[in-house]
Amino acid sequence: MNLMQLRAFHAVATQASFTLAARTLGLTQPTLSQSVKALEERYGVLLFERSSRRVQPTEMGRRLFQLTTRLFDTEQEAATLLEGSAQLARGLLQLGADSPYYVMPLIAEFDSRHPQVEIRLSIGNAGAVLEDLSEARLDVALLSNPPVDPRFHIVPLYRDPVRLMLPAGHPLAAGHPLAAGHPLAAGDAVPVAALAGQRLVMRETGSMTRRTVERGLAEAEIAPAGVFEVTGREAVQEAVALGLGLGFISAGEIRPDPRIVLRPLANCAWHTDEYVLCQRDRRRFPAIRAFIELAVAATA
């Protein structure tokens, strides 16, 4: 088997692009494309569905990618051992998160300790980030409530309560908007029953905050008047500020906005749990191990 052809295939599957893969390997795109084509022709298989917009692996391609990921991870681990790079003198760490607010302080601390390690960060909803982690497009992820999966090494970090977002003029918002000098008091909590008949602003499917709220509403047998779905927490905040409904946010993601009042929910334990995770068989890589250890220490 031609290792260069496998390497070319792996690069395309990782980058989802022939152009980016060629750049990563330092090859011309025609040379890379010919390597992948030669691999397909040799074994009589189709490894990629090609279109003008993106490159998508076929079922055979996905199965082969799982094998090449293990192959080249092992190669990298051997190189790490032989080159003595356990001190993180160089390298690349690809991170993913479902919120920038939790991961950015960790990146800043990691960067101060290991400035020669290049860091790339992708932000998306939990479902998309988890898929990228499972396909080895990411090294480490910070996610809320990831599913139990034996493929992943998962470490709990902390628990974050969910807060209710209200337009400042809403009847349930009686009091001052959240701003510097206006901390919330325990008496400001809103009963969950008060959400009945209210229009809610929810993030897209895959958001862990949305799953938490929907589960809590179902358990309390509360039916909203309707749901306005938007993509991203910033869009939720703007929709709430303009009176399009009531929204929800994890406490750690709160940023002051004078147009919005935030309240805890009375007698309610809605929360999201934040975790750091990586593929189980890659946790020994120095950069991955160092980032996870830093995250655990920072939130202890």
Side-chain angles (χ1 to χ4, degrees), residues 152-233:
F152 300 130
H153 174 62
I154 303 176
V155 180
L157 296 181
Y158 47 81
R159 176 162 288 182
D160 211 3
V162 172
R163 296 289 185 249
L164 175 66
M165 291 194 293
L166 301 148
H170 194 280
L172 292 175
H176 296 288
L178 180 71
H182 292 289
L184 293 174
D188 293 324
V190 173
V192 176
L195 301 179
Q198 298 284 343
R199 190 187 194 200
L200 304 181
V201 181
M202 293 283 207
R203 283 191 59 186
E204 71 283 358
T205 300
S207 161
M208 288 302 168
T209 301
R210 175 172 182 166
R211 292 184 189 179
T212 299
V213 171
E214 288 180 336
R215 183 170 58 248
L217 291 174
E219 291 173 353
E221 299 182 346
I222 300 297
V227 171
F228 175 39
E229 181 177 308
V230 298
T231 300
R233 62 185 52 79

Coordinates of all heavy atoms in Angstrom, one line a residue, residues 152-233:
F152 N -14.6 8.9 23.8 CA -14.0 10.1 24.3 C -13.6 10.0 25.7 O -14.2 9.3 26.6 CB -15.1 11.2 24.2 CG -15.6 11.5 22.8 CD1 -17.0 11.5 22.6 CD2 -14.7 11.7 21.8 CE1 -17.4 11.8 21.3 CE2 -15.2 12.0 20.5 CZ -16.5 12.0 20.3
H153 N -12.5 10.7 26.0 CA -12.0 11.0 27.4 C -12.7 12.3 27.8 O -12.5 13.3 27.3 CB -10.5 11.1 27.4 CG -10.0 11.5 28.8 ND1 -10.1 10.7 29.9 CD2 -9.3 12.6 29.1 CE1 -9.5 11.3 30.9 NE2 -9.0 12.5 30.5
I154 N -13.6 12.2 28.8 CA -14.4 13.3 29.2 C -14.2 13.7 30.7 O -14.2 12.8 31.6 CB -15.9 13.0 29.1 CG1 -16.2 12.6 27.6 CG2 -16.8 14.2 29.5 CD1 -17.6 12.1 27.4
V155 N -13.9 15.0 30.9 CA -13.6 15.4 32.3 C -14.5 16.6 32.7 O -14.6 17.6 31.9 CB -12.1 15.9 32.4 CG1 -11.8 16.4 33.8 CG2 -11.2 14.8 32.0
P156 N -15.3 16.5 33.8 CA -16.2 17.5 34.2 C -15.4 18.8 34.7 O -14.4 18.6 35.3 CB -17.0 16.9 35.3 CG -16.2 15.8 35.8 CD -15.3 15.3 34.7
L157 N -15.9 20.0 34.3 CA -15.3 21.2 34.8 C -16.1 21.9 35.8 O -15.7 22.1 37.0 CB -15.0 22.1 33.6 CG -14.0 21.6 32.6 CD1 -13.8 22.6 31.4 CD2 -12.7 21.2 33.2
Y158 N -17.3 22.3 35.5 CA -18.1 23.0 36.5 C -19.6 23.0 36.0 O -19.9 22.6 34.9 CB -17.7 24.5 36.6 CG -17.4 25.2 35.4 CD1 -18.4 25.8 34.6 CD2 -16.1 25.3 34.9 CE1 -18.2 26.4 33.4 CE2 -15.8 26.0 33.7 CZ -16.9 26.5 33.0 OH -16.6 27.2 31.8
R159 N -20.5 23.4 36.9 CA -21.9 23.5 36.7 C -22.4 24.9 36.6 O -22.0 25.8 37.4 CB -22.7 22.8 37.8 CG -24.2 22.8 37.7 CD -24.8 21.7 38.6 NE -24.6 20.4 38.0 CZ -25.1 19.3 38.5 NH1 -25.8 19.3 39.6 NH2 -24.8 18.1 37.9
D160 N -23.2 25.2 35.6 CA -23.6 26.6 35.3 C -25.1 26.7 35.3 O -25.8 26.0 34.5 CB -23.1 27.0 33.9 CG -22.7 28.5 33.8 OD1 -22.9 29.2 34.8 OD2 -22.4 28.9 32.7
P161 N -25.7 27.5 36.2 CA -27.2 27.6 36.2 C -27.7 28.4 35.0 O -27.0 29.2 34.4 CB -27.4 28.4 37.5 CG -26.2 29.2 37.8 CD -25.1 28.3 37.3
V162 N -28.9 28.1 34.6 CA -29.6 28.7 33.5 C -30.4 29.9 34.0 O -31.1 29.8 35.0 CB -30.5 27.8 32.7 CG1 -31.3 28.5 31.6 CG2 -29.7 26.7 32.0
R163 N -30.2 31.1 33.3 CA -31.0 32.3 33.7 C -32.0 32.6 32.6 O -31.8 32.3 31.4 CB -30.0 33.4 33.9 CG -29.0 33.3 35.0 CD -29.7 33.4 36.4 NE -28.8 33.3 37.5 CZ -28.7 32.3 38.4 NH1 -29.5 31.3 38.2 NH2 -27.9 32.4 39.4
L164 N -33.1 33.3 33.1 CA -34.1 33.7 32.2 C -33.8 35.2 31.7 O -33.5 36.0 32.5 CB -35.5 33.7 32.9 CG -36.7 34.3 32.2 CD1 -37.0 33.5 31.0 CD2 -37.9 34.4 33.2
M165 N -33.9 35.4 30.4 CA -33.7 36.7 29.8 C -35.0 37.3 29.5 O -35.8 36.7 28.8 CB -32.8 36.6 28.6 CG -31.4 36.2 28.8 SD -30.3 36.6 27.3 CE -31.0 35.4 26.2
L166 N -35.2 38.6 29.9 CA -36.5 39.3 29.7 C -36.2 40.6 29.1 O -35.2 41.3 29.5 CB -37.2 39.5 31.1 CG -37.6 38.2 31.9 CD1 -37.5 38.5 33.3 CD2 -38.9 37.7 31.4
P167 N -37.1 41.1 28.2 CA -37.0 42.5 27.7 C -37.2 43.4 28.9 O -38.0 43.1 29.8 CB -38.1 42.6 26.7 CG -38.5 41.2 26.4 CD -38.2 40.4 27.6
A168 N -36.5 44.5 29.0 CA -36.5 45.4 30.2 C -37.9 45.9 30.5 O -38.3 46.1 31.6 CB -35.6 46.6 30.0
G169 N -38.8 46.0 29.5 CA -40.2 46.5 29.7 C -41.2 45.4 30.0 O -42.4 45.7 30.2
H170 N -40.7 44.1 30.1 CA -41.7 43.0 30.3 C -42.2 43.0 31.7 O -41.5 43.4 32.7 CB -41.0 41.7 30.0 CG -41.9 40.5 29.9 ND1 -42.4 39.9 31.0 CD2 -42.3 39.9 28.8 CE1 -43.2 38.9 30.5 NE2 -43.2 38.9 29.2
P171 N -43.5 42.7 31.9 CA -44.1 42.7 33.3 C -43.3 41.8 34.3 O -43.2 42.1 35.5 CB -45.5 42.1 33.1 CG -45.8 42.4 31.7 CD -44.5 42.4 30.9
L172 N -42.7 40.7 33.8 CA -41.9 39.8 34.7 C -40.6 40.4 35.1 O -39.9 39.9 35.9 CB -41.7 38.5 34.1 CG -43.0 37.6 33.9 CD1 -42.6 36.3 33.2 CD2 -43.6 37.3 35.3
A173 N -40.2 41.5 34.4 CA -38.9 42.1 34.6 C -38.8 43.2 35.6 O -37.9 43.9 35.7 CB -38.3 42.6 33.3
A174 N -39.9 43.4 36.4 CA -40.0 44.6 37.3 C -38.7 44.7 38.1 O -38.3 43.7 38.8 CB -41.2 44.4 38.2
G175 N -38.0 45.8 38.0 CA -36.8 46.0 38.7 C -35.8 46.6 37.7 O -36.2 47.1 36.6
H176 N -34.5 46.5 38.0 CA -33.5 47.2 37.2 C -32.9 46.2 36.2 O -32.7 45.0 36.5 CB -32.4 47.8 38.1 CG -32.9 48.8 39.0 ND1 -33.2 50.1 38.5 CD2 -33.1 48.9 40.3 CE1 -33.6 50.8 39.5 NE2 -33.6 50.1 40.6
P177 N -32.5 46.7 35.0 CA -31.7 45.9 34.1 C -30.4 45.4 34.7 O -29.9 46.1 35.6 CB -31.5 46.8 32.9 CG -32.5 47.9 33.0 CD -32.7 48.1 34.5
L178 N -29.9 44.3 34.2 CA -28.6 43.9 34.7 C -27.5 44.8 34.2 O -27.4 45.1 33.0 CB -28.3 42.4 34.2 CG -27.0 41.9 34.6 CD1 -27.0 41.5 36.1 CD2 -26.6 40.6 33.8
A179 N -26.8 45.4 35.1 CA -25.7 46.3 34.7 C -24.8 46.4 35.9 O -25.1 45.9 37.0 CB -26.2 47.7 34.3
A180 N -23.6 47.0 35.7 CA -22.7 47.2 36.8 C -23.4 47.9 38.0 O -24.1 48.9 37.8 CB -21.5 48.0 36.4
G181 N -23.3 47.3 39.2 CA -23.9 47.9 40.3 C -25.3 47.5 40.6 O -26.0 48.0 41.5
H182 N -25.9 46.6 39.8 CA -27.2 46.1 40.0 C -27.2 44.6 40.1 O -27.8 43.9 39.2 CB -28.1 46.6 38.8 CG -28.4 48.0 38.8 ND1 -29.1 48.7 39.7 CD2 -27.9 49.0 37.9 CE1 -29.1 50.0 39.4 NE2 -28.4 50.2 38.4
P183 N -26.6 44.0 41.1 CA -26.7 42.5 41.2 C -28.1 42.0 41.5 O -28.9 42.7 42.0 CB -25.7 42.3 42.4 CG -25.8 43.5 43.2 CD -26.0 44.6 42.2
L184 N -28.3 40.8 41.1 CA -29.6 40.2 41.3 C -29.7 39.7 42.7 O -28.8 39.3 43.3 CB -29.8 39.0 40.4 CG -29.9 39.3 38.9 CD1 -30.0 38.0 38.1 CD2 -31.2 40.1 38.6
A185 N -30.9 39.9 43.3 CA -31.2 39.4 44.7 C -32.0 38.1 44.6 O -32.6 37.8 43.5 CB -31.9 40.4 45.5
A186 N -32.0 37.3 45.6 CA -32.7 36.0 45.6 C -34.2 36.2 45.4 O -34.8 35.4 44.8 CB -32.4 35.3 47.0
G187 N -34.7 37.3 45.8 CA -36.2 37.6 45.7 C -36.6 37.9 44.3 O -37.8 38.0 44.0
D188 N -35.6 38.0 43.4 CA -35.9 38.4 42.0 C -36.3 37.1 41.1 O -36.5 37.3 39.9 CB -34.8 39.1 41.3 CG -34.5 40.5 41.9 OD1 -35.5 41.1 42.3 OD2 -33.4 40.9 42.0
A189 N -36.2 36.0 41.7 CA -36.5 34.7 41.0 C -37.9 34.7 40.4 O -38.8 35.2 41.0 CB -36.2 33.5 41.9
V190 N -38.0 34.2 39.2 CA -39.3 34.1 38.5 C -39.8 32.6 38.6 O -39.0 31.7 38.3 CB -39.1 34.5 37.0 CG1 -40.4 34.2 36.2 CG2 -38.7 35.9 36.9
P191 N -41.0 32.4 39.0 CA -41.6 31.0 39.0 C -41.6 30.4 37.6 O -42.0 31.1 36.6 CB -43.0 31.2 39.6 CG -43.0 32.6 40.2 CD -42.0 33.4 39.5
V192 N -41.3 29.2 37.5 CA -41.3 28.5 36.2 C -42.7 28.5 35.6 O -42.9 28.7 34.4 CB -40.8 27.0 36.3 CG1 -41.0 26.3 35.0 CG2 -39.4 27.0 36.8
A193 N -43.7 28.5 36.5 CA -45.1 28.5 36.0 C -45.4 29.8 35.2 O -46.4 29.8 34.4 CB -46.1 28.3 37.2
A194 N -44.7 30.9 35.5 CA -45.0 32.1 34.8 C -44.6 32.1 33.4 O -44.9 33.0 32.6 CB -44.2 33.2 35.5
L195 N -43.9 31.0 33.0 CA -43.5 30.9 31.5 C -44.6 30.4 30.7 O -44.5 30.4 29.5 CB -42.3 30.0 31.4 CG -41.0 30.4 32.2 CD1 -39.9 29.4 32.0 CD2 -40.5 31.8 31.7
A196 N -45.6 29.8 31.3 CA -46.8 29.3 30.6 C -47.4 30.4 29.7 O -47.7 31.5 30.2 CB -47.8 28.7 31.5
G197 N -47.6 30.1 28.5 CA -48.3 31.1 27.6 C -47.4 32.2 27.1 O -47.8 33.1 26.4
Q198 N -46.1 32.1 27.4 CA -45.1 33.1 27.0 C -44.5 32.7 25.7 O -44.3 31.5 25.4 CB -44.0 33.4 28.0 CG -44.5 33.9 29.3 CD -44.9 35.4 29.2 OE1 -44.5 36.1 28.3 NE2 -45.7 35.9 30.2
R199 N -44.2 33.6 24.8 CA -43.4 33.3 23.6 C -41.9 33.2 24.0 O -41.4 34.1 24.7 CB -43.6 34.3 22.5 CG -43.0 33.9 21.2 CD -43.1 35.1 20.2 NE -42.9 34.6 18.8 CZ -42.5 35.4 17.8 NH1 -42.3 36.7 18.1 NH2 -42.3 35.0 16.6
L200 N -41.2 32.1 23.5 CA -39.9 31.9 23.9 C -39.0 32.1 22.7 O -39.3 31.7 21.6 CB -39.7 30.5 24.5 CG -40.5 30.2 25.7 CD1 -40.2 28.8 26.2 CD2 -40.4 31.2 26.8
V201 N -37.8 32.6 22.9 CA -36.7 32.6 21.9 C -35.8 31.5 22.2 O -35.2 31.5 23.3 CB -36.0 34.0 21.9 CG1 -34.9 34.0 20.7 CG2 -37.0 35.1 21.7
M202 N -35.6 30.6 21.2 CA -34.7 29.4 21.4 C -33.6 29.4 20.4 O -33.8 29.8 19.2 CB -35.5 28.2 21.4 CG -36.5 28.0 22.5 SD -35.7 27.5 24.0 CE -37.1 26.6 24.8
R203 N -32.5 28.9 20.8 CA -31.4 28.6 19.8 C -31.7 27.4 19.0 O -32.7 26.7 19.2 CB -30.1 28.4 20.6 CG -29.4 29.6 21.1 CD -28.0 29.4 21.5 NE -27.2 28.8 20.5 CZ -25.9 28.4 20.6 NH1 -25.4 28.4 21.8 NH2 -25.3 27.9 19.6
E204 N -30.9 27.2 18.0 CA -31.1 26.1 17.0 C -31.0 24.7 17.7 O -30.4 24.6 18.8 CB -30.0 26.2 15.9 CG -28.6 25.8 16.3 CD -27.9 26.9 17.1 OE1 -28.4 28.0 17.3 OE2 -26.7 26.7 17.5
T205 N -31.6 23.7 17.0 CA -31.4 22.4 17.5 C -30.0 22.0 17.6 O -29.2 22.3 16.7 CB -32.1 21.4 16.5 OG1 -33.5 21.8 16.4 CG2 -32.0 20.0 17.0
G206 N -29.6 21.4 18.7 CA -28.2 21.0 19.0 C -27.7 21.9 20.1 O -26.7 21.5 20.7
S207 N -28.3 23.0 20.4 CA -27.9 23.8 21.6 C -28.2 23.1 22.9 O -29.4 22.6 23.1 CB -28.6 25.1 21.5 OG -28.6 25.8 22.8
M208 N -27.3 22.9 23.8 CA -27.5 22.3 25.0 C -28.4 23.1 26.0 O -29.1 22.6 26.8 CB -26.1 22.0 25.7 CG -25.4 20.8 25.0 SD -26.4 19.3 25.0 CE -25.4 18.4 23.8
T209 N -28.3 24.4 25.9 CA -29.2 25.3 26.7 C -30.6 25.0 26.3 O -31.5 24.9 27.1 CB -28.8 26.7 26.5 OG1 -27.5 27.0 26.9 CG2 -29.7 27.6 27.4
R210 N -30.9 24.9 25.0 CA -32.2 24.7 24.5 C -32.7 23.3 25.0 O -33.8 23.2 25.5 CB -32.3 24.7 23.0 CG -33.6 24.3 22.4 CD -33.7 24.5 20.9 NE -35.1 24.1 20.5 CZ -35.5 24.5 19.3 NH1 -34.8 25.2 18.4 NH2 -36.7 24.1 18.9
R211 N -31.9 22.3 24.9 CA -32.3 20.9 25.4 C -32.6 21.0 26.9 O -33.6 20.4 27.3 CB -31.2 19.9 25.2 CG -30.9 19.6 23.7 CD -29.8 18.5 23.6 NE -29.4 18.4 22.2 CZ -28.5 17.5 21.8 NH1 -27.9 16.7 22.7 NH2 -28.2 17.4 20.5
T212 N -31.8 21.7 27.7 CA -32.0 21.8 29.1 C -33.4 22.5 29.4 O -34.2 22.0 30.2 CB -30.9 22.6 29.8 OG1 -29.7 21.9 29.6 CG2 -31.2 22.8 31.3
V213 N -33.7 23.6 28.7 CA -34.9 24.3 28.9 C -36.1 23.4 28.5 O -37.1 23.3 29.2 CB -34.9 25.6 28.2 CG1 -36.3 26.3 28.2 CG2 -33.9 26.6 28.8
E214 N -36.0 22.8 27.3 CA -37.1 22.0 26.8 C -37.4 20.8 27.7 O -38.6 20.5 28.0 CB -36.8 21.5 25.4 CG -36.9 22.6 24.4 CD -36.6 22.1 23.0 OE1 -35.9 21.1 22.8 OE2 -37.0 22.8 22.0
R215 N -36.4 20.2 28.3 CA -36.6 19.1 29.2 C -37.2 19.6 30.5 O -38.2 19.0 31.0 CB -35.2 18.5 29.5 CG -35.4 17.3 30.5 CD -34.1 16.5 30.6 NE -33.0 17.3 31.0 CZ -31.9 17.7 30.3 NH1 -31.9 17.3 29.0 NH2 -31.0 18.4 30.8
G216 N -36.8 20.8 31.0 CA -37.4 21.4 32.2 C -38.8 21.8 32.0 O -39.6 21.5 32.9
L217 N -39.2 22.3 30.9 CA -40.5 22.7 30.6 C -41.4 21.5 30.6 O -42.6 21.5 31.1 CB -40.6 23.5 29.3 CG -40.0 24.9 29.3 CD1 -40.1 25.5 27.9 CD2 -40.8 25.8 30.3
A218 N -40.9 20.4 29.9 CA -41.7 19.2 29.8 C -42.0 18.6 31.2 O -43.1 18.2 31.5 CB -41.0 18.2 28.9
E219 N -40.9 18.6 32.0 CA -41.1 18.0 33.4 C -42.1 18.8 34.2 O -42.8 18.3 35.0 CB -39.7 17.9 34.0 CG -38.8 16.9 33.4 CD -37.4 17.0 34.0 OE1 -37.1 17.9 34.8 OE2 -36.6 16.1 33.7
A220 N -42.1 20.1 34.0 CA -43.0 21.0 34.7 C -44.4 21.1 34.1 O -45.3 21.8 34.6 CB -42.4 22.4 34.9
E221 N -44.5 20.5 32.9 CA -45.8 20.5 32.2 C -46.2 21.9 31.8 O -47.3 22.3 32.0 CB -46.9 19.8 32.9 CG -46.6 18.3 33.1 CD -47.7 17.6 33.8 OE1 -48.6 18.2 34.4 OE2 -47.7 16.3 33.8
I222 N -45.2 22.7 31.4 CA -45.4 24.1 31.0 C -45.4 24.2 29.5 O -44.5 23.7 28.8 CB -44.3 25.0 31.6 CG1 -44.3 24.9 33.1 CG2 -44.5 26.5 31.1 CD1 -45.6 25.4 33.8
A223 N -46.4 24.8 28.9 CA -46.5 25.0 27.5 C -46.4 26.4 27.1 O -47.2 27.3 27.5 CB -47.9 24.4 26.9
P224 N -45.3 26.8 26.3 CA -45.2 28.2 25.9 C -46.2 28.5 24.8 O -46.8 27.6 24.2 CB -43.8 28.3 25.3 CG -43.5 26.9 24.9 CD -44.2 26.0 25.8
A225 N -46.4 29.8 24.5 CA -47.3 30.2 23.5 C -46.7 29.9 22.1 O -47.5 29.7 21.1 CB -47.6 31.7 23.6
G226 N -45.4 29.9 22.0 CA -44.8 29.6 20.7 C -43.3 29.7 20.9 O -42.8 30.2 22.0
V227 N -42.5 29.4 19.9 CA -41.1 29.4 19.9 C -40.6 30.1 18.7 O -41.0 29.8 17.6 CB -40.5 28.0 20.0 CG1 -38.9 28.1 19.8 CG2 -40.8 27.3 21.3
F228 N -39.7 31.1 18.9 CA -39.0 31.8 17.8 C -37.6 31.3 17.8 O -36.9 31.5 18.7 CB -39.1 33.3 18.0 CG -38.3 34.1 17.0 CD1 -38.3 33.8 15.7 CD2 -37.6 35.2 17.4 CE1 -37.5 34.5 14.8 CE2 -36.8 36.0 16.5 CZ -36.8 35.6 15.2
E229 N -37.2 30.5 16.8 CA -35.9 29.9 16.7 C -34.9 30.8 15.9 O -35.2 31.3 14.9 CB -36.0 28.5 16.0 CG -34.7 27.8 16.0 CD -34.8 26.4 15.3 OE1 -35.6 25.6 15.8 OE2 -34.0 26.1 14.4
V230 N -33.7 31.0 16.5 CA -32.7 31.7 15.9 C -31.4 30.9 16.1 O -31.3 30.0 16.8 CB -32.5 33.1 16.5 CG1 -33.8 34.0 16.3 CG2 -32.1 33.1 18.0
T231 N -30.3 31.3 15.3 CA -29.0 30.7 15.4 C -28.0 31.5 16.2 O -27.8 32.7 15.8 CB -28.5 30.4 14.0 OG1 -29.4 29.6 13.3 CG2 -27.1 29.7 14.1
G232 N -27.5 31.0 17.3 CA -26.5 31.7 18.0 C -27.0 32.4 19.2 O -28.1 33.0 19.2
R233 N -26.2 32.5 20.3 CA -26.6 33.2 21.5 C -26.8 34.7 21.3 O -27.6 35.3 21.9 CB -25.7 32.9 22.7 CG -24.3 33.3 22.5 CD -23.3 32.9 23.6 NE -23.4 31.4 23.8 CZ -22.8 30.5 23.1 NH1 -22.1 30.9 22.0 NH2 -22.9 29.3 23.4

